[in-house]
Amino acid sequence: MDILQIEDLTFTYPQADKPVLNHFSLNVKQGDFIVLCGVSGCGKTTLLRLIKKQLAPNGNTEGTIFYRGTPISELDLKRSACEIGFVRQDPDLQIVTDRVWHELAFGLENMGFDTQTIRRRVGEMACFFGIDNWFRKRTDALSGGQKQLLNLASVMVMQPELLLLDEPTSQLDPIAAADFIATLQKLNRELGLTVILVEHRLEEVFSIADKVCLMEQGRVLFYDSPGQVGSLLTQTSPAHPMTGSLPSAARIFNGLCAGGWPSGAEECPLTVRDGRFFLSGHFHSDTAVTNRSDDLPKGNPAAELSAVWFRYDKDGPDILEDLSLTIYEGEFFALLGGNGSGKSTLINVLTGISKAYHGSIRFFGRPMKSYRKAELFLQNLAVLPQNPHFMFIHDRIREDYEQMCETMQLSQQEAAKEIARVSELLQISSILDSHPYDVSGGELQRAALGKILLLKPRLLLLDEPTKGMDAHAKSVLGRHLQQMQQHGVTIFLVTHDVEFAAYYATRCGLLFDRQITSIGNPVTFFADNNFYTTAANRMARRLFPQAITCEDVIKRCRAQMHTTKKESL
C-alpha cells in the first residue's frame, strides 16, 4: 500500500525563470526506507517541504501530493503535524525551548494531549534514544549530535507514520553520523516507519535503503534498488556528477572495471564489509609507502597560537586549554574532532570574535593585537562561518557581492569582472540574482565562499565548507582551494568531512580534550584510525595499509592486475 503518491508535481518559486520541480512523480510504499539524492539545487529540499504542508514554500504549484489517498492541501493540520515528521539539516533551527525535557514535550503540549500521556510518551522516547542521562540539561549546552538526536526524538514522540529528513548528518562528526543513521534504520525496521532521507553522504545510507531516488533538474532520473541505481549511474555517458557520491566500495569496483576488471564476474559491492571481501578475494598485501612527506611545511608561519586558554563564562569550564598550533604559509591544514570539541570556538578565537584569556596569537609574524581591524580582514584574513546565512544581508546574492567589491574599492568594471570570475569558478552564476534563502544549502555554501574570496585573503579560515555539498561540488571546491594554495594562500579548514580532508589537506590534526592531540600528513593521520578515517582505508587497510582514498586503492589494485597480466603472457 502506498503511503505517499506524488503525481506530475511542478513547482516554481516567485519570480523564478524555471521550475525547481518539473513534472515530478513518485510512489512510496508504507514502511519503505527511501534515500533521495542528487546534485545541489535539483529540488530535494523543496520536495520535502511541499510534503510537509506547514513548511511548504511560497510559489506556483501544479500537480498533486497524496498522503494516504488525501491531497496534502486538504490534510487536517493536526494530522499533518502528528503523522508527518520533519527533521531539518541545521539542528539549531528546530529547537525551540531551553530544556531537553521541555523540547520533548513541546509538540504534545501544542496538540492538547493530557499530562499523563505526555509524561508516558516523553519517558519512553527518552529511554529509547538514550536521552535520560541528559534529560534535564539546557538545549544550548548540547553537542551537535545530541541536538540532532533530540530533534529526532521530539518528532518521534508525536508517533509519525512518515518521517522526512533533510540532510540530518551534515553537521555531525563521523561517529555521531553513524549512530544517527543506525537509529533511523532501527526505527524503520522495528516500527515500520516510512523514511524519506535526503542525503549527500551516501556511504552509510545507500546500502540500507529499500530504494534510491536520484533526482536531476527537478525530475526523477532513476528510482530503483541501491544496487541497480549504482549500476545505472556508472553506465551514463558522460559520467554523471553523482557517480562520485557512490559508496567507496562501489567507486573502487567501478574504477577497476574501467581499468579492465571483468565487471560481469560478480556483483558490485556497496558496503565496507563487502568491499573488503571483494579485495581480499582477488588481491594480495602490498605495504608500499605512499609518497607524502611527513616533514613540516616549508615557509614562514601564517598563524601561531601559543598556550591559548579560552572559556565562555568566567566560572565555566575551559573549552581550549594550553593549546598551541602553527599554521605555515601556503599549507592546507584540516582540523577534525567530535561535535562540541571546540573546533568552531578555535576559529572564533582566531578571528577575535572570542577573546582568549591567556596565551598569544600572531599572524604573519605580527601579534594579532597590532593589527587594526580593517587591516586584518582586508587581504589578510577571511573566514567562512558554519552558517552561510550569516554572510548575506541583501535580497540578492549579487548585491552582497557588489557591496564586497565596494569595500575592496574596485571600479564597476573591475567589480563585474571579479564577480564573474568567482561565480564561474564556483559554478554559481545562475543563482546570483536569487534571494539567499531561495537556493539550496550547497549552493548557498558556495555563494558564501565566493563572497569571501572577493577579499583575496592570504589566510582563509573555513568552518565546515562542504556541508550540504554533493560530491561533484566538493571536488570543484577542493580543486579550487588547491589552486589557491599553490598561489600562496594558506587554508585552515575545520571539518567533519574525513574524505575531503584525506583528498585535499597537506596536514591534519585532531582536537580532543581541549587540545590538539595529534598532527600529521593525511596518510600518517588517517591510516591508523578506526573511525576518523576514510571508508576506503577501512576497506583496504589489511592489504594496503597506507591507502586512504579510493584512488589509492584503485592504483594499487591496477598495479597488481598489470603484474599478473604480464606474468600470464
Side-chain angles (χ1 to χ4, degrees):
M1 179 177 133
D2 291 337
I3 191 172
L4 191 71
Q5 295 171 288
I6 304 173
E7 297 181 356
D8 203 31
L9 181 65
T10 299
F11 179 82
T12 309
Y13 282 102
Q15 301 179 350
D17 295 331
K18 59 182 181 179
V20 67
L21 293 173
N22 193 3
H23 300 286
F24 184 97
S25 297
L26 188 75
N27 285 8
V28 178
K29 292 182 179 179
Q30 184 172 340
D32 270 355
F33 193 123
I34 307 296
V35 169
L36 197 63
C37 59
V39 299
S40 296
C42 69
K44 304 182 298 295
T45 297
T46 300
L47 175 64
L48 287 196
R49 291 178 62 191
L50 288 170
I51 297 171
K52 181 73 171 177
K53 66 182 295 183
Q54 291 91 338
L55 300 177
N58 185 34
N60 181 47
T61 305
E62 299 175 13
T64 311
I65 303 174
F66 294 94
Y67 170 74
R68 294 193 181 281
T70 303
I72 287 289
S73 57
E74 300 174 13
L75 196 64
D76 176 75
L77 282 174
K78 183 172 182 179
R79 189 179 173 198
S80 174
C82 293
E83 294 188 24
I84 303 177
F86 196 106
V87 177
R88 294 171 179 257
Q89 180 183 119
D90 187 342
D92 289 310
L93 293 180
Q94 194 157 342
I95 293 174
V96 295
T97 67
D98 61 341
R99 297 284 177 180
V100 171
W101 67 268
H102 197 186
E103 187 71 21
L104 288 170
F106 183 78
L108 296 172
E109 290 172 345
N110 279 273
M111 291 297 104
F113 285 90
D114 61 87
T115 302
Q116 195 66 23
T117 300
I118 293 173
R119 294 185 67 176
R120 174 170 46 80
R121 285 203 193 179
V122 165
E124 179 189 39
M125 282 300 143
C127 292
F128 180 85
F129 285 97
I131 290 175
D132 39 323
N133 290 331
W134 36 281
F135 185 69
R136 298 193 178 277
K137 286 186 71 171
R138 290 184 58 86
T139 52
D140 58 6
L142 302 179
S143 70
Q146 288 174 324
K147 287 178 180 178
Q148 200 64 299
L149 198 63
L150 174 59
N151 284 333
L152 178 58
S154 300
V155 168
M156 288 306 302
V157 80
M158 306 293 289
Q159 298 182 351
E161 296 290 325
L162 173 63
L163 180 62
L164 312 173
L165 304 104
D166 187 11
E167 294 187 55
T169 69
S170 64
Q171 297 193 40
L172 304 185
D173 64 70
I175 297 173
D179 289 344
F180 189 89
I181 294 300
T183 301
L184 290 182
Q185 187 178 18
K186 186 177 181 181
L187 290 170
N188 173 252
R189 297 292 184 260
E190 294 186 7
L191 300 182
L193 179 68
T194 307
V195 177
I196 302 179
L197 171 67
V198 168
E199 189 58 79
H200 283 307
R201 291 162 55 167
L202 300 180
E203 192 72 54
E204 289 86 9
V205 302
F206 203 82
S207 61
I208 66 174
D210 295 305
K211 284 191 175 181
V212 173
C213 177
L214 177 61
M215 293 179 61
E216 184 175 75
Q217 297 181 353
R219 295 176 181 266
V220 176
L221 181 62
F222 301 128
Y223 183 46
D224 213 319
S225 66
Q228 189 64 22
V229 170
S231 176
L232 291 169
L233 257 181
T234 58
Q235 296 170 18
T236 58
S237 182
H240 194 278
M242 284 299 293
T243 304
S245 296
L246 289 172
S248 297
R251 281 187 281 156
I252 291 171
F253 181 82
N254 294 330
L256 293 176
C257 291
W261 184 263
S263 58
E266 51 199 301
E267 188 176 345
C268 174
L270 295 177
T271 66
V272 168
R273 183 189 66 175
D274 292 343
R276 180 176 285 195
F277 288 159
F278 165 72
L279 291 175
S280 61
H282 299 285
F283 301 95
H284 59 80
S285 179
D286 175 8
T287 57
V289 176
T290 300
N291 185 24
R292 289 211 196 183
S293 172
D294 212 8
D295 298 331
L296 286 175
K298 296 178 181 178
N300 298 318
E304 298 171 89
L305 294 91
S306 179
V308 168
W309 295 67
F310 174 80
R311 64 177 62 149
Y312 283 104
D313 299 313
K314 183 178 179 181
D315 299 321
D318 287 311
I319 308 300
L320 305 176
E321 180 182 298
D322 199 29
L323 185 146
S324 296
L325 173 67
T326 301
I327 305 165
Y328 294 89
E329 287 189 37
E331 79 164 319
F332 190 146
F333 191 103
L335 183 67
L336 297 97
N339 288 104
S341 61
K343 302 184 302 299
S344 295
T345 298
L346 179 57
I347 289 233
N348 290 340
V349 169
L350 278 168
T351 57
I353 294 173
S354 299
K355 304 290 184 183
Y357 71 85
H358 187 274
S360 64
I361 301 174
R362 300 172 67 88
F363 292 110
F364 304 104
R366 289 174 53 186
M368 183 178 184
K369 295 177 181 178
S370 71
Y371 285 91
R372 300 188 307 274
K373 196 165 189 178
E375 181 186 8
L376 182 59
F377 288 96
L378 285 178
Q379 297 186 335
N380 277 312
L381 178 67
V383 58
L384 177 66
Q386 193 170 122
N387 190 337
H389 288 101
F390 295 158
M391 295 287 295
F392 297 93
I393 59 175
H394 294 288
D395 290 338
R396 295 190 307 154
I397 293 170
R398 185 187 300 276
E399 292 172 1
D400 276 278
Y401 278 29
E402 290 170 346
Q403 185 183 49
M404 188 64 78
C405 290
E406 287 179 16
T407 302
M408 295 294 292
Q409 298 181 341
L410 300 180
S411 67
Q412 286 189 347
Q413 186 175 3
E414 291 172 329
K417 186 181 294 185
E418 275 298 295
I419 291 172
R421 180 186 67 83
V422 169
S423 57
E424 184 177 343
L425 196 64
L426 297 175
Q427 300 180 358
I428 53 172
S429 302
S430 62
I431 64 168
L432 284 180
D433 292 312
S434 301
H435 192 285
Y437 283 32
D438 286 343
V439 300
S440 73
E443 289 173 325
L444 187 63
Q445 195 80 348
R446 279 181 281 158
L449 177 61
K451 183 175 178 179
I452 65 170
L453 291 185
L454 291 171
L455 288 170
K456 296 185 176 179
R458 296 168 67 192
L459 173 59
L460 185 58
L461 309 179
L462 304 172
D463 193 357
E464 296 289 352
T466 62
K467 179 185 65 179
M469 285 189 183
D470 60 82
H472 178 67
K474 286 182 188 180
S475 66
V476 171
L477 172 64
R479 290 194 300 270
H480 178 56
L481 292 177
Q482 283 184 327
Q483 291 172 4
M484 293 176 65
Q485 179 199 356
Q486 291 164 5
H487 285 85
V489 177
T490 306
I491 299 166
F492 180 68
L493 167 75
V494 161
T495 186
H496 291 311
D497 195 331
V498 172
E499 307 277 347
F500 190 81
Y503 271 92
Y504 299 106
T506 54
R507 279 201 304 161
C508 299
L510 179 69
L511 184 57
F512 173 73
D513 194 27
R514 297 163 290 188
Q515 294 183 337
I516 297 178
T517 58
S518 62
I519 294 177
N521 68 45
V523 172
T524 304
F525 184 85
F526 289 116
D528 196 39
N529 294 340
N530 283 317
F531 300 104
Y532 275 94
T533 190
T534 61
N537 180 254
R538 291 200 301 270
M539 194 183 315
R541 58 174 36 186
R542 294 186 184 279
L543 299 178
F544 317 121
Q546 291 200 324
I548 61 170
T549 67
C550 292
E551 283 72 14
D552 290 341
V553 178
I554 292 169
K555 183 179 178 180
R556 303 285 177 82
C557 291
R558 282 183 177 176
Q560 291 188 15
M561 289 164 59
H562 180 69
T563 301
T564 303
K565 187 175 181 180
K566 284 180 63 178
E567 290 174 349
S568 64
L569 293 175

